[in-house]
């Protein structure tokens, strides 16, 4: 026979549950708004493919993305990030878009340049446009910042990265999908089909198209990993062109599959929160094995 619950016990349990829920909500709000956005998770992965030249064995690539300076991410955080990246001694460095949240409202361009200049990578620093880099009349602003910081800005173009005269890989960079005009065919114009190719595309969902071009690896950002993830419900904030692929590794295509990696980025936009989507710095090591 079920035990009878007194009115006093019921009220005690009810208000206890209510206070616990409120407490967790307040705690979650504080964590998502003040704690998680300031964290940094460093993910390390090996990228293996038989098309990678022997001389590129153990080449270290670092990808960072989506700082959105001016919204929540600060110059102090950027300075700490640069020191962290340099401590890992990358051979090649990639930035996959969305440097400033609103370029036309940001007034610290010279400080951003002076910080980014400190980044070191012997085989080059490379970047592509994100949607926020075009937004707010930011196209020329972003170009100036990146080029004066020592980055090569790829706009539907490619560049050959050589270890020596006989050994090279190709880097492709395309425009943003939302506010630009991405053109993978143009980026591939001078690239041998048999070469190992890395594509930088701010928008991850363009991988469905990239998989048709014998591209082995695509690195993207844009989605912030959903920015807010709720257990059982998943990612709540998935932007256009970042809805299908929004976090981590994916294999796209069948005959010659493309490996896609979507970086969660470092900053936030629109909502100043991150929950179960910790800011990320990604380190890749190339290998033929």
């Amino acid at each position: 026979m079920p035990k009878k619950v007194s009115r006093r016990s019921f009220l005690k349990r009810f208000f206890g549950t209510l206070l616990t829920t409120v407490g967790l909500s307040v705690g979650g709000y504080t964590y998502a708004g003040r704690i998680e956005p300031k964290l940094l998770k460093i993910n390390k992965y090996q990228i293996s493919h038989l098309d990678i030249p022997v001389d590129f064995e153990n080449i270290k690539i670092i990808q960072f993305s989506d700082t959105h300076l001016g919204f929540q991410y600060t110059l102090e955080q950027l300075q700490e990030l640069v020191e962290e990246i340099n401590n890992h001694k990358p051979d090649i460095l990639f930035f996959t878009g969305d440097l400033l949240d609103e370029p036309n409202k940001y007034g610290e361009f010279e400080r951003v340049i002076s910080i980014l200049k400190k980044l070191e990578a012997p085989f080059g620093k490379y970047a592509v446009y994100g949607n926020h880099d075009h937004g707010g009349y930011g196209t020329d602003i972003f170009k100036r910042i990146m080029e004066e910081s020592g980055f090569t800005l790829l706009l539907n173009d490619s560049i050959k990265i050589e270890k020596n005269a006989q050994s090279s890989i190709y880097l492709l960079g395309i425009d943003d999908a939302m506010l630009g005009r991405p053109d993978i065919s143009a980026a591939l114009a001078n690239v041998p089909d048999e070469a190992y190719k890395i594509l930088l595309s701010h928008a991850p969902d363009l991988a469905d198209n990239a998989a048709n071009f014998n591209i082995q690896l695509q690195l993207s950002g844009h989605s912030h990993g959903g920015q807010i993830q709720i257990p059982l419900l998943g990612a709540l904030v998935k932007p256009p062109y970042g809805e299908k692929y929004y976090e981590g590794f994916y294999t796209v295509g069948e005959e010659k599959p493309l490996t896609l990696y979507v970086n969660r980025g470092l900053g936030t936009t629109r909502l100043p929160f991150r929950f179960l989507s910790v800011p990320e710095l990604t380190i890749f090591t190339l290998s033929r094995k």
Side-chain angles (χ1 to χ4, degrees):
M1 183 177 179
K3 184 178 180 180
K4 187 175 181 180
V5 179
S6 67
R7 182 172 181 272
R8 181 177 179 181
S9 296
F10 171 78
L11 291 174
K12 185 176 180 181
R13 289 183 187 178
F14 172 77
F15 283 110
T17 302
L18 179 63
L19 289 172
T20 299
T21 303
V22 171
L24 287 173
S25 299
V26 172
Y29 182 89
T30 301
Y31 172 79
R34 297 183 182 179
I35 298 175
E36 186 167 306
K38 291 181 171 61
L39 300 178
L40 178 64
K41 185 173 183 181
I42 299 172
N43 289 321
K44 298 181 180 182
Y45 303 106
Q46 185 179 71
I47 300 294
S48 301
H49 201 286
L50 289 175
D51 290 343
I52 294 172
V54 173
D55 289 332
F56 279 79
E57 187 77 27
N58 295 323
I59 282 286
K60 186 187 293 183
I61 295 169
I62 291 185
Q63 178 196 9
F64 69 111
S65 194
D66 297 88
T67 48
H68 289 271
L69 282 161
F71 183 74
Q72 188 181 47
Y73 202 77
T74 66
L75 286 170
E76 289 69 30
Q77 286 176 283
L78 184 65
Q79 178 64 53
E80 292 173 2
L81 176 74
V82 166
E83 293 171 4
E84 183 69 43
I85 290 173
N86 284 339
N87 285 340
H88 289 281
K89 301 185 184 305
D91 296 299
I92 308 171
L93 185 61
F94 297 148
F95 177 69
T96 44
D98 281 1
L99 179 69
L100 309 175
D101 198 65
E102 295 182 275
N104 61 334
K105 295 181 181 179
Y106 195 81
E108 302 277 2
F109 304 141
E110 299 304 325
R111 288 188 65 192
V112 175
I113 291 168
S114 68
I115 293 172
L116 292 179
K117 268 185 176 179
K118 298 174 185 175
L119 286 166
E120 300 172 354
F123 289 91
K125 306 187 293 187
Y126 305 92
V128 290
Y129 280 99
N131 53 300
H132 282 259
D133 303 316
H134 281 308
Y137 303 98
T139 304
D140 291 337
I141 293 171
F142 179 70
K143 185 175 188 291
R144 179 203 157 200
I145 290 174
M146 299 316 289
E147 290 181 348
E148 291 189 17
S149 301
F151 280 76
T152 298
L153 181 58
L154 295 171
L155 183 61
N156 299 325
D157 202 358
S158 66
I159 192 165
K160 185 179 183 181
I161 301 177
E162 291 185 290
K163 193 81 182 291
N164 54 55
Q166 290 77 39
S167 190
S168 62
I169 62 175
Y170 281 80
L171 177 64
L172 320 172
I174 57 173
D175 203 358
D176 172 65
M178 287 181 66
L179 298 180
R181 295 180 178 179
D183 190 333
I184 297 175
S185 295
L188 282 165
N190 299 305
V191 179
D193 187 60
E194 71 276 7
Y196 184 78
K197 298 173 282 293
I198 300 174
L199 171 65
L200 303 185
S201 168
H202 181 67
D205 287 359
L206 295 190
D208 285 333
N209 186 25
N212 297 317
F213 290 91
N214 191 26
I215 294 169
Q216 293 89 341
L217 177 65
Q218 176 180 322
L219 302 179
S220 297
H222 184 49
S223 64
H224 301 193
Q227 197 164 298
I228 299 169
Q229 295 199 32
I230 305 299
L232 303 180
L233 294 179
L236 297 188
V237 184
K238 292 193 281 188
Y241 300 102
E243 297 169 291
K244 186 175 181 180
Y245 308 116
Y246 62 90
E247 178 186 22
F249 278 106
Y250 301 88
T251 299
V252 185
E254 296 180 1
E255 186 177 347
K256 292 183 177 180
L258 164 77
T259 296
L260 166 67
Y261 188 82
V262 186
N263 182 291
R264 289 193 301 270
L266 295 155
T268 58
T269 188
R270 293 191 178 89
L271 297 171
F273 305 106
R274 274 186 180 265
F275 189 71
L276 301 182
S277 185
V278 177
E280 174 184 9
L281 183 69
T282 320
I283 302 174
F284 304 99
T285 303
L286 299 184
S287 176
R288 280 179 61 88
K289 298 175 183 177

